[in-house]
Amino acid sequence: MRLGWWEDSPTTHRSLRDAMASALTRTVDVDEDTGVPPVLSLPRLADGVVEHGMTALGAAMGQIPLHPTPRGWELDAHASLLFRRARGHLRELLDLTGEMLGEGRLGDGGRVMVHVPGPWTVGAQVEYRGRPVVADRPAFRDTALTLAAVTLSACSSPDFTLPAWPTVTDDAGDDLPAGATMTSATADPSSAGTSASAPPVGSLPPDDRTAAERVPQIIDRGRLIVGVAQSLNGLGFRDPVTGDLAGFEVDLAREIARDIFGDPTKVDFRYVESTRRDDALTTGDVDLIIRTMTVTRDRQDEIEFSTPYLTTGTAVLAMRDAGIDGSDDLAGRTVCVARDSTSARRVWTEIPHGDVLLTQTWPDCLMAAQRHQVDAVFSDSAILAGLRAQDPHTEFVDLPSPTVQRYAVAAASSASGRDTAGLIRQVNATVERIRDDGTWRRSYDRWLRQYLGPADPPPLSYRTEAQSADLARSRAEIRGDRTREEQR
């Protein structure tokens, strides 16, 4: 697939207003055979009339990482949350376009163009042979003050004065992350998806069959389809330089593909939000979910889990200047959790807190903390380690009795009408192998050890025949209840 990238071009206009307006329509076609988009450039006058100081000021106020070049000011590769989101949105957009058009059409000489519509509007539109295919929302929609706003305001009067600094507000209800809701400290915990759960049972142990005998349909398809995260640093995220998926969970997916096909690249990654993990499995959109999915007994009624691949524990992350040194300091403070997560259930009983912000994603919790809309984030230590890596001004808060949780690979249960027992046994064979040959430790040390410290693989967990029979009965009862409900 040959990619084209339209970027904002330098202009010869002496009027700043005309220069900005021109940048919305004038573009330069830049070929990128590598598939890695170039940096975004700001419009500037050919003779350098645009003041660098104004540019730097606007970028600083908007928290946009820039550096000067002979062609203008350009966007730096940066570890910030905003930059990772921007690159991730654009890469996801290309992946989606490839799925919609199909490999055959992309290879017939047609060109896929990515259009960024204007200065610091990093939302993009993909066009194929001149026709729009799909569009993405602006990735920098949360920037406090864009450079475009600064430069356009400078054009309104010949006697330009710097705009007043934004007024900081402590109102946590102002401009919350998309889809987020604030829940009162006195609200019914059921609004966060809380429920009691019995201890989980083990998984299905590997058998003596070959991969071709365990997963013949996947072998015939020629690739494994896995749902992962693309914004959880260290676990599953887009590398800001290469645009490729990377992380501990991505490594595990590739090892599973290696054992099935003899080739770790024969895996298709699909980005799945945490709130859609169950649906993606039951509808057959993916074969597996490897996305920070904690094994619980309630989930086992709907989903088949592998033996755990990572042990983690509940933890709290706060900004260094939040004045939170221990769990007692959380009393009356606003805490953020992701909706429908196990943390959204446990926050009501495990730590003191005030109001609770429920977000769509964990990076949204970090953004809310950076905006002082929440005081702390409550989640698993593995997830929080990735957030901490993105912001050096955050720190872990010690909890007296953190709850141990274990992540496992998830597949649809056989009760859903799909025979996934062989697939889970195949996954467990891979988990056992990477424990024994050192692959697990190498991946953990690369992605997670820096913030979580040294660790060992979790113990293998397999269920007995009696436990399998009890689980089958429980699944049948739930399926029967659902059928009767649908017939009413």
Side-chain angles (χ1 to χ4, degrees):
M1 178 172 63
R2 188 184 186 201
L3 300 179
W5 180 268
W6 293 346
E7 64 173 11
D8 301 323
S9 62
T11 76
T12 57
H13 295 278
R14 291 188 175 276
S15 162
L16 284 174
R17 182 180 296 278
D18 291 344
M20 297 299 291
S22 174
L24 299 176
T25 56
R26 297 181 67 249
T27 57
V28 175
D29 185 356
V30 179
D31 292 335
E32 283 293 296
D33 294 332
T34 63
V36 179
V39 294
L40 305 177
S41 66
L42 290 174
R44 62 183 291 261
L45 301 186
D47 56 4
V49 174
V50 175
E51 290 291 338
H52 284 186
M54 184 184 300
T55 302
L57 172 65
M61 294 176 70
Q63 298 180 351
I64 300 170
L66 295 178
H67 70 274
T69 69
R71 61 188 291 185
W73 290 81
E74 296 185 342
L75 183 66
D76 279 323
H78 195 263
S80 70
L81 175 66
L82 290 179
F83 182 85
R84 287 180 181 275
R85 281 194 162 192
R87 182 62 60 87
H89 280 314
L90 295 171
R91 190 69 182 180
E92 181 184 357
L93 198 63
L94 294 177
D95 291 344
L96 178 60
T97 303
E99 292 179 18
M100 294 178 64
L101 296 179
E103 294 181 0
R105 293 189 62 183
L106 291 178
D108 65 0
R111 298 190 58 192
V112 175
M113 306 299 296
V114 180
H115 181 210
V116 176
W120 302 115
T121 305
V122 189
Q125 174 177 290
V126 174
E127 297 185 3
Y128 179 74
R129 292 188 169 179
R131 295 188 177 183
V133 177
V134 63
D136 185 34
R137 56 190 168 84
F140 279 118
R141 68 192 187 285
D142 298 309
T143 302
L145 182 62
T146 65
L147 180 61
V150 174
T151 53
L152 286 176
S153 66
C155 307
S156 60
S157 171
D159 300 324
F160 171 66
T161 57
L162 292 177
W165 290 100
T167 301
V168 178
T169 175
D170 291 327
D171 186 352
D174 287 350
D175 194 22
L176 295 175
T181 56
M182 189 69 73
T183 303
S184 169
T186 59
D188 181 356
S190 63
S191 64
T194 63
S195 63
S197 179
V201 297
S203 183
L204 296 169
D207 52 25
D208 295 331
R209 293 181 297 171
T210 65
E213 294 170 322
R214 290 172 180 154
V215 288
Q217 293 179 331
I218 293 175
I219 292 285
D220 291 342
R221 184 201 299 148
R223 67 189 190 283
L224 180 69
I225 304 175
V226 181
V228 295
Q230 72 162 10
S231 58
L232 294 180
N233 197 63
L235 293 167
F237 68 102
R238 291 283 182 187
D239 186 295
V241 176
T242 67
D244 296 330
L245 281 169
F248 183 80
E249 293 180 325
V250 173
D251 284 355
L252 175 56
R254 293 193 172 112
E255 291 304 316
I256 296 171
R258 184 194 303 277
D259 287 345
I260 294 176
F261 299 103
D263 184 348
T265 67
K266 288 192 173 182
V267 52
D268 280 357
F269 291 107
R270 304 286 173 85
Y271 171 57
V272 178
E273 289 280 6
S274 60
T275 55
R276 286 204 65 253
R277 291 177 298 191
D278 294 15
D279 290 342
L281 289 172
T282 56
T283 58
D285 291 343
V286 297
D287 298 315
L288 300 171
I289 292 288
I290 310 180
R291 194 192 189 286
T292 63
M293 205 156 186
T294 303
V295 184
T296 68
R297 180 61 188 81
D298 287 344
R299 283 175 171 171
Q300 285 181 318
D301 283 332
E302 306 285 348
I303 293 170
E304 195 68 71
F305 285 99
S306 72
T307 188
Y309 61 81
L310 185 65
T311 300
T312 183
T314 52
V316 171
L317 189 75
M319 305 302 292
R320 292 185 184 276
D321 59 358
I324 300 176
D325 300 318
S327 60
D328 292 343
D329 296 326
L330 293 169
R333 309 292 285 270
T334 303
V335 176
C336 185
V337 294
R339 193 185 311 277
D340 296 330
S341 65
T342 54
S343 300
R345 171 162 49 84
R346 292 190 166 108
V347 68
W348 298 96
T349 57
E350 292 197 11
I351 61 171
H353 59 80
D355 293 343
V356 175
L357 179 66
L358 299 172
T359 62
Q360 299 282 38
T361 68
W362 289 113
D364 283 343
C365 278
L366 176 60
M367 184 183 301
Q370 292 168 331
R371 293 174 168 182
H372 304 287
Q373 294 170 325
V374 300
D375 299 299
V377 183
F378 176 72
S379 182
D380 304 335
S381 56
I383 292 174
L384 296 183
L387 300 184
R388 184 184 175 193
Q390 296 180 59
D391 192 331
H393 300 291
T394 59
E395 61 183 359
F396 282 116
V397 177
D398 291 334
L399 295 181
S401 301
T403 300
V404 175
Q405 301 186 113
R406 291 187 170 93
Y407 295 160
V409 180
S413 74
S414 298
S416 66
R418 300 168 58 198
D419 184 8
T420 57
L423 177 57
I424 285 296
R425 295 183 192 275
Q426 179 65 41
V427 171
N428 286 337
T430 296
V431 173
E432 290 191 7
R433 174 183 65 79
I434 64 175
R435 285 165 51 95
D436 296 338
D437 67 10
T439 301
W440 186 96
R441 190 170 302 282
R442 287 191 295 272
S443 181
Y444 177 89
D445 288 350
R446 178 183 182 186
W447 299 113
L448 301 174
R449 180 170 178 163
Q450 178 180 357
Y451 294 101
L452 297 181
D456 294 320
L460 298 174
S461 177
Y462 298 126
R463 60 181 180 253
T464 65
E465 291 185 4
Q467 289 174 324
S468 290
D470 289 342
L471 183 59
R473 282 192 293 270
S474 177
R475 288 171 174 172
E477 290 175 0
I478 291 175
R479 188 166 63 253
D481 291 343
R482 186 177 297 130
T483 300
R484 287 189 291 273
E485 184 67 25
E486 292 172 352
Q487 292 174 346
R488 289 180 181 176

